[in-house]
Amino acid sequence: MYNYSVAPHHAGVYPVHEPLFEAWRRVWKIRVTCTEEYPHFRPASRRRGFVYKGIMVLPRQTCGLYTHTLLFSAYPGGHAALTKSIQGGEIFFSIIYNPFALFMTHQQNYGNDRLAIYTFENAVRFVNCWTNIKLKWMDPLKMGIAYFQRFPDERTPVWGNPCSDPRHLEILSSDFNCSQLALPNAVIVGPQKTGSTALYAFLKLHPNVQSNVENNVTYEEPQFFGGKAYLNGLDWYLNQFPFDSGVEGQQVLFEKSATYFDSPDAPRQMNALIDEAKLIIILINPAKRAYSWYQHMIAHKDPIALKYSFAQVLAATDNDSERKLWKLRQRCIAPGRYAHHLDRWLEYYSPNRLLIVDGEQLKDDPVPVMNDVQQFLGLPLIDYKQLLKFNEHKGFYCSQAEGNKTKCLGKSKGRGYEPMGAELTDSLAKLYLQDNIALHKMITKMGWRTPRWLQEQLVKLS
Ligand SMILES: Nc1ncnc2c1ncn2[C@@H]1O[C@H](COP(=O)(O)OS(=O)(=O)O)[C@@H](OP(=O)(O)O)[C@H]1O
């Protein structure tokens, strides 16, 4: 009647068991349910709601009545403890502190000894008598809608590792294998257009390294954190990695999604799932990155990029009638404000979990860079001199293939285009000056190595 359902023993609501949500959605048209497990059972005050596959999951409170508490005498501490909980104790505060309070008790309590009815009649009476809080009953569907209007930020779930919570572990489906959990222990987070694909391809050459599987839409990138795919759920993400890729010892399982770097949500979402991962950030002169992005949009036949020159794109303002021109300018410029984005990553990961790679050095002289990367990831060192070779035709380093041949990245990486021109180079250097100074300060403070291009930029404008 209310499009509301509770799973037996709450199994599968959270951690999400896909077939349950699918059956609820398709067969039963369920719109709302609840759990006390999200994100964790304790502390109860931190329970939250989320929406998954159109089903609203509300946080449920605990009232201490279970199948075995049919009589006052069975309630832990007896009648006196229950009265205390109602009159200013746990039940009372659960109602007071939660603008939306959802309790559930078992059929037996209602049917047999009426303990739940006793408890809630008294709790309501107590609240009405001693507070000026107005209690209101709502059917679950209306409550779900009202809940997410009040807490819109909670709609998107935050996926955690179910194997690290003993209660979650207990209700996982039997085919969920925690000992072989294929979660990456390293991620190349971008930003876009800095050489991230070359780094991805080079790292994959290492025998102790495995990566995600590729797809037809975003190719080598899962683009899970901070992206639309995040709503596909944890099983979807796990399926991006080969089944036998549980990691141990000197093994690295990694993915790269260059979209993560400047996403406002990616650091928080990634940390909730893989807080021990090592992150690689690859930076080039942001002016070059901006121009490369513009060329990328030209190659993708973006009508705005085709209509306006790069100089016109850079000159766009927030007041421009052509909104898309401003948006393109932002996509060129904003990811290059490196210190600003790095600050967000540092909120969630300690500096020693982050490696800053000089993307310009990777392009010109990749072997020392790959040595640093191997060291950072704790990999046994292999000789990248034997694996990479400069290809004159491509103009870039490529992997060695059989018969003295090379295997280079595709046409979309290392596109040939007109150089930017001195005037635009200068104006972008000025535009990024404060950001580059902030980046340099941050790099020094964190004890990271300063990329050569950054030193050159700062010397040039000082
Ligand atoms: N070895 C090698 N081969 C090919 N390309 C290389 C290589 N090393 C660095 N680069 C530079 O990488 C630029 C593309 O960066 P990304 O791979 O990060 O782009 S993307 O965000 O994944 O689309 C790409 O930018 P464009 O030159 O603008 O195409 C290259 O300059």
Side-chain angles (χ1 to χ4, degrees), residues 42 170 189 269 318 324 355 363 366 375 423 431 449:
R42 283 189 218 293
E170 254 176 48
V189 303
Q269 293 177 346
D318 200 4
K324 287 184 178 162
L355 177 73
K363 191 165 104 184
Q375 210 161 21
E423 211 174 303
L431 186 145
R449 193 179 306 148

Side-chain angles (χ1 to χ4, degrees), residues 40 160-169 178 181 272-273:
H40 299 285
N161 180 348
C163 300
S164 56
D165 179 320
R167 286 179 65 97
H168 293 175
L169 206 55
C178 281
L181 196 63
L273 187 62

Side-chain angles (χ1 to χ4, degrees), residues 159-300:
W159 306 119
N161 180 348
C163 300
S164 56
D165 179 320
R167 286 179 65 97
H168 293 175
L169 206 55
E170 254 176 48
I171 58 176
L172 286 176
S173 72
S174 54
D175 52 3
F176 201 100
N177 187 346
C178 281
S179 64
Q180 284 278 303
L181 196 63
L183 276 172
N185 53 11
V187 184
I188 300 172
V189 303
Q192 288 168 302
K193 298 288 139 203
T194 54
S196 61
T197 318
L199 184 57
Y200 168 85
F202 297 168
L203 189 54
K204 269 178 36 154
L205 298 174
H206 197 292
N208 293 40
V209 171
Q210 288 191 73
S211 74
N212 55 293
V213 288
E214 303 196 358
N215 65 57
N216 291 332
V217 185
T218 52
Y219 305 101
E220 74 279 356
E221 302 200 347
Q223 300 184 357
F224 181 64
F225 302 105
K228 276 195 226 128
Y230 194 69
L231 299 177
N232 293 342
L234 182 57
D235 285 5
W236 182 91
Y237 188 56
L238 291 171
N239 283 336
Q240 305 309 301
F241 298 91
F243 290 116
D244 62 345
S245 58
V247 281
E248 47 191 56
Q250 284 184 307
Q251 297 286 329
V252 166
L253 177 65
F254 86 107
E255 65 126 319
K256 92 102 175 164
S257 298
T259 50
Y260 293 160
F261 179 72
D262 57 314
S263 149
D265 296 321
R268 180 176 49 87
Q269 293 177 346
M270 190 182 289
N271 184 261
L273 187 62
I274 43 171
D275 59 336
E276 299 206 338
K278 292 184 174 175
L279 311 185
I280 299 175
I281 291 159
I282 168 164
L283 304 179
I284 61 170
N285 179 348
K288 287 189 185 165
R289 200 218 72 85
Y291 189 50
S292 172
W293 180 260
Y294 172 75
Q295 292 298 340
H296 175 84
M297 296 311 278
I298 296 262
H300 282 261

Side-chain angles (χ1 to χ4, degrees), residues 44-263:
S45 57
R46 294 250 184 94
R47 288 180 202 160
R48 298 286 179 265
F50 65 95
V51 182
Y52 185 60
K53 305 246 155 121
I55 294 170
M56 294 177 278
V57 181
L58 298 174
R60 181 162 81 68
Q61 282 76 47
T62 316
C63 61
L65 302 174
Y66 304 100
T67 34
H68 56 274
T69 50
L70 292 172
L71 303 167
F72 285 133
S73 57
Y75 190 87
H79 181 255
L82 182 59
T83 306
K84 201 170 157 195
S85 176
I86 295 167
Q87 298 183 2
E90 196 189 329
I91 293 178
F92 172 75
F93 278 111
S94 292
I95 296 172
I96 298 292
Y97 285 148
N98 291 293
F100 296 84
L102 213 126
F103 292 95
M104 190 190 89
T105 184
H106 295 261
Q107 188 67 30
Q108 287 92 324
N109 300 111
Y110 286 110
N112 300 342
D113 71 342
R114 304 173 60 79
L115 195 57
I117 291 177
Y118 166 87
T119 302
F120 282 95
E121 273 180 357
N122 279 286
V124 167
R125 205 172 293 139
F126 190 81
V127 170
N128 282 341
C129 179
W130 294 101
T131 75
N132 52 13
I133 286 174
K134 207 163 173 294
L135 294 174
K136 195 174 165 193
W137 181 86
M138 262 181 169
D139 78 55
L141 183 56
K142 285 203 183 113
M143 190 168 175
I145 293 165
Y147 184 90
F148 289 107
Q149 269 167 2
R150 173 88 182 259
F151 302 112
D153 292 351
E154 287 185 25
R155 293 184 75 88
T156 304
V158 179
W159 306 119
N161 180 348
C163 300
S164 56
D165 179 320
R167 286 179 65 97
H168 293 175
L169 206 55
E170 254 176 48
I171 58 176
L172 286 176
S173 72
S174 54
D175 52 3
F176 201 100
N177 187 346
C178 281
S179 64
Q180 284 278 303
L181 196 63
L183 276 172
N185 53 11
V187 184
I188 300 172
V189 303
Q192 288 168 302
K193 298 288 139 203
T194 54
S196 61
T197 318
L199 184 57
Y200 168 85
F202 297 168
L203 189 54
K204 269 178 36 154
L205 298 174
H206 197 292
N208 293 40
V209 171
Q210 288 191 73
S211 74
N212 55 293
V213 288
E214 303 196 358
N215 65 57
N216 291 332
V217 185
T218 52
Y219 305 101
E220 74 279 356
E221 302 200 347
Q223 300 184 357
F224 181 64
F225 302 105
K228 276 195 226 128
Y230 194 69
L231 299 177
N232 293 342
L234 182 57
D235 285 5
W236 182 91
Y237 188 56
L238 291 171
N239 283 336
Q240 305 309 301
F241 298 91
F243 290 116
D244 62 345
S245 58
V247 281
E248 47 191 56
Q250 284 184 307
Q251 297 286 329
V252 166
L253 177 65
F254 86 107
E255 65 126 319
K256 92 102 175 164
S257 298
T259 50
Y260 293 160
F261 179 72
D262 57 314
S263 149

